[in-house]
Amino acid sequence: MLDLWYKNAVIYCLDVETFMDANGDGTGDFAGLTDRLDHLENLGVTAIWLNPFYPTPNRDNGYDISDFYGVDGRLGNLGAFVEFARAARARGMKLMVDLVCNHTSVDHPWFQSARASEDSPYRDWYVWSKEKPEDITEGIIFPGVQEAVWTYDDAAEAWYMHRFYAHQADLNIANPAVREEILRIMGFWLELGVEGFRIDAVPFLIEYKGLKEEPDRDPLLLSEMRDFLAWRRAGAIMLAEANVERDTVAEYFGGREFEADERMHLVFDFPLNQKLWLGMVRGSAAPIHDALKSRPSPMPVHGQFANFLRNHDELSLDKLTEAEREECFEALAPEKSMRVYGRGVRRRLAPMLDGDPARLALAHSILFALPGTPVMWYGDEIGMGERLDLDERNPVRTPMQWADERNAGFSRTTDDLVRPVVEDGPLGYHRTNVARQRERAGSLMDRVAQMVRVRRACPELGWGEWDLPGAPDRVLVLRSRWRGNAVLTLHDLGGEGAEVRLDLGDADRLTPLLSSAEMGDTVDADAPIALEPYGYRWFRIGGERR
């Protein structure tokens, strides 16, 4: 069970450059992050996931990497990274980092060597075509911003493939030397205290687009990566960014249940995320039910879905029907400037819910109640605002709001920040910040910390089997059972309040664990349960957990 720590983890994602600036140059750094670990400890999170912090030209928020074995000089150095990793470990927090295997920056020495000569040892590390590919626009990821997936390079006298931006050249993962290097990168960071990798753009790691001949697909790179982790560091994990349909998710988990090698430990549940937002918009639990029921069953023992409300990218609605997507757009992003790529919303959690404290608390409670592993995005625990004047996905990547001070307490510089802070309105730093919420009982941050504590004390939600006891459509009811114990959660999505009576079989009583109102005493299992508008209740079925 200890090697499956992620089953009952609470993961907190952040970007070092926007979290805390210690040296006063306007950019966050590892020293600042280390200094703010107390905040994460107080929240109760058990794992920290860092967005890319490697050397980079920084044209795509650090996902355009020019050296996989270093630290961006703006953020510190390897020594500062190790000090941070040690401090996090001392607080009982696991450390996860982004691993970008699909591509490098065109500034990377590998690509610069590859484009300089066909005889370069790195030439075949990338995907090239002497002739112009037939459809260079097929598979564009960023419509309206990205023009093609192939670009002609004058120095190479050839076209190179890039599924993302032209400055991010795709690696040829069919090349054994590339695959060996990926494993070497993983081994390097494992030695420095990393215990997990969030793998970027995983669907592109199981296909070989752009190559003249289809290479042998067995074993998949994902299987090789999983085997490498098992040999090098027991308990180290991989979390897949894979926005895929349900009928293909088995390829990512693997395992005996899916008749394949074990692969990813965790996979982000994008279909559930999108149905969750549809349910929030409609005030109905039905879309959430549908997404949960569509999960593969049985799941491999090692496999787990990761749940989230928002992340560092757009809120993608691509898995919804066109009508459902428009319904969400109208409610969550009514202005065209709030939308991006024709499929997503470029807004933070709090503004999408109009800063409503009850709805924000409800959303967080649902996140922690869903079967799987919850993943938080920095700043959502206080209800941070957004900067829609920033381009593409950057409105949700503004500096952390620590206090009602210069630069939101993020930096003491008098020069420009890495990105501007959110100043105006109720969600700006003057009124929404960590210091203010720390002093106020019942603040969003206080409630989220309480939810984290309760969630960590309920392993049934991460380990157990779940079902959906019958309830009115506007109320989401989940029951999770594991090793003779059970947890029941109720959430009012309709916003009108409700009184719910459930058939829980031979259960005799419900012990309160968490509530949006006063906790109350133990109640009979067949008694009606009252929910105020956007309210939530968590109970343990029976007495204390055995």
Side-chain angles (χ1 to χ4, degrees):
M1 281 181 54
L2 290 178
D3 286 349
L4 303 184
W5 58 265
Y6 55 92
K7 289 272 193 172
N8 201 43
V10 177
I11 302 173
Y12 185 98
C13 177
L14 62 90
D15 193 335
V16 178
E17 74 172 6
T18 55
F19 201 65
M20 183 65 196
D21 171 23
N23 65 8
D25 65 356
T27 299
D29 45 46
F30 276 106
L33 172 55
T34 304
D35 185 61
R36 287 293 188 265
L37 282 174
D38 288 347
H39 170 66
L40 304 184
E41 186 176 26
N42 289 336
L43 273 181
V45 300
T46 63
I48 304 170
W49 155 29
L50 301 182
N51 285 161
F53 52 83
Y54 315 100
T56 171
N58 211 24
R59 302 184 187 103
D60 183 25
N61 200 46
Y63 284 88
D64 49 327
I65 296 169
S66 57
D67 177 7
F68 290 95
Y69 296 100
V71 170
D72 185 339
R74 301 172 306 138
L75 313 181
N77 54 35
L78 284 173
F81 173 87
V82 170
E83 287 183 351
F84 156 72
R86 184 178 184 279
R89 187 166 58 251
R91 289 168 170 79
M93 300 179 206
K94 305 283 188 180
L95 176 56
M96 303 174 61
V97 301
D98 254 301
L99 180 63
V100 184
C101 307
N102 178 70
H103 56 262
T104 73
S105 167
V106 295
D107 292 1
H108 198 293
W110 300 341
F111 187 79
Q112 290 300 308
S113 173
R115 68 193 290 263
S117 170
E118 291 189 38
D119 296 327
S120 165
Y122 296 104
R123 183 73 169 199
D124 195 37
W125 283 41
Y126 296 89
V127 182
W128 300 95
S129 176
K130 275 293 187 180
E131 305 298 326
K132 182 178 180 179
E134 290 185 3
D135 190 353
I136 65 172
T137 62
E138 183 181 353
I140 283 178
I141 302 295
F142 305 123
V145 179
Q146 182 185 4
E147 297 181 354
V149 296
W150 289 88
T151 292
Y152 186 76
D153 184 76
D154 291 329
E157 297 183 339
W159 296 77
Y160 67 92
M161 192 174 75
H162 53 89
R163 300 173 200 267
F164 296 94
Y165 299 105
H167 59 76
Q168 294 166 317
D170 276 20
L171 287 166
N172 175 13
I173 59 169
N175 184 336
V178 172
R179 297 151 78 99
E180 183 179 342
E181 189 69 23
I182 290 171
L183 301 184
R184 185 176 293 115
I185 293 165
M186 296 174 71
F188 176 83
W189 291 105
L190 287 172
E191 292 299 316
L192 296 184
V194 169
E195 297 184 72
F197 299 92
R198 178 266 191 185
I199 314 296
D200 187 55
V202 174
F204 301 141
L205 303 181
I206 63 173
E207 64 180 52
Y208 300 106
K209 182 178 178 181
L211 298 178
K212 290 184 175 61
E213 297 181 5
E214 179 81 4
D216 184 6
R217 293 171 58 88
D218 189 29
L220 284 172
L221 173 60
L222 306 187
S223 300
E224 294 176 334
M225 295 165 73
R226 174 61 180 259
D227 289 344
F228 180 82
L229 284 185
W231 299 330
R232 281 291 182 94
R233 182 65 51 84
I237 69 163
M238 293 186 293
L239 164 59
E241 184 211 22
N243 183 5
V244 296
E245 301 288 354
R246 285 286 196 244
D247 59 359
T248 63
V249 75
E251 291 188 63
Y252 301 90
F253 282 120
R256 283 176 299 180
E257 293 82 350
F258 298 143
E259 299 182 350
D261 298 328
E262 290 187 353
R263 295 166 188 162
M264 294 289 142
H265 303 81
L266 290 160
V267 175
F268 275 117
D269 197 339
F270 282 90
L272 174 58
N273 176 258
Q274 297 180 36
K275 291 292 190 177
L276 168 59
W277 280 105
L278 180 63
M280 295 278 285
V281 167
R282 290 180 173 175
S284 166
I288 304 171
H289 288 176
D290 292 342
L292 288 170
K293 291 175 181 177
S294 71
R295 284 179 168 181
S297 179
M299 285 281 288
V301 173
H302 76 271
Q304 179 96 308
F305 278 105
N307 306 312
F308 63 104
L309 296 172
R310 284 293 288 113
N311 58 23
H312 59 291
D313 287 331
E314 78 279 8
L315 169 62
S316 180
L317 303 172
D318 66 305
K319 297 293 182 288
L320 302 181
T321 67
E322 185 175 349
E324 291 170 339
R325 187 160 48 250
E326 285 301 317
E327 188 178 353
C328 288
F329 276 155
E330 288 300 318
L332 305 174
E335 301 175 19
K336 294 289 186 182
S337 64
M338 299 172 177
R339 308 172 190 177
V340 69
Y341 311 137
R343 64 171 184 262
V345 178
R346 60 191 210 106
R347 307 192 71 195
R348 263 199 178 263
L349 172 67
M352 284 197 294
L353 297 178
D354 299 321
D356 184 333
R359 295 176 72 196
L360 281 169
L362 174 72
H364 279 96
S365 181
I366 293 174
L367 170 66
F368 295 117
L370 289 170
T373 299
V375 182
M376 305 169 64
W377 175 233
Y378 82 94
D380 281 350
E381 72 271 25
I382 60 171
M384 267 178 58
E386 64 199 11
R387 290 285 302 242
L388 290 171
D389 56 325
L390 300 179
D391 63 354
E392 294 191 66
R393 295 164 290 178
N394 288 324
V396 304
R397 300 169 176 172
T398 55
M400 183 67 173
Q401 296 170 195
W402 294 106
D404 183 12
E405 300 173 0
R406 174 193 292 273
N407 300 325
F410 161 74
S411 173
R412 62 179 181 273
T413 186
T414 56
D415 296 325
D416 290 340
L417 301 176
V418 61
R419 289 195 190 95
V421 295
V422 180
E423 294 189 58
D424 301 328
L427 304 181
Y429 74 84
H430 296 294
R431 296 164 63 180
T432 297
N433 58 69
V434 172
R436 182 172 182 175
Q437 295 199 18
R438 186 188 301 120
E439 298 168 352
R440 197 172 78 248
S443 67
L444 179 61
M445 187 175 77
D446 185 49
R447 297 174 79 173
V448 169
Q450 183 186 22
M451 293 174 193
V452 172
R453 288 193 296 271
V454 174
R455 171 63 178 76
R456 290 178 59 183
C458 295
E460 296 89 344
L461 301 176
W463 281 89
E465 298 181 350
W466 53 270
D467 63 355
L468 304 164
D473 175 64
R474 65 183 182 274
V475 179
L476 174 65
V477 181
L478 287 163
R479 175 171 52 186
S480 298
R481 291 181 274 201
W482 185 60
R483 292 187 172 179
N485 298 288
V487 170
L488 178 74
T489 62
L490 301 90
H491 296 85
D492 175 49
L493 295 166
E496 298 177 355
E499 189 170 88
V500 182
R501 191 185 295 272
L502 301 171
D503 180 4
L504 299 176
D506 58 0
D508 58 349
R509 65 190 188 280
L510 302 176
T511 303
L513 297 175
L514 187 68
S515 174
S516 53
E518 289 188 18
M519 187 76 76
D521 299 319
T522 298
V523 298
D524 292 337
D526 59 356
I529 301 170
L531 293 168
E532 69 276 7
Y534 299 118
Y536 54 85
R537 296 284 189 280
W538 291 38
F539 297 95
R540 182 166 296 288
I541 299 176
E544 288 299 309
R545 179 165 64 92
R546 296 178 297 280

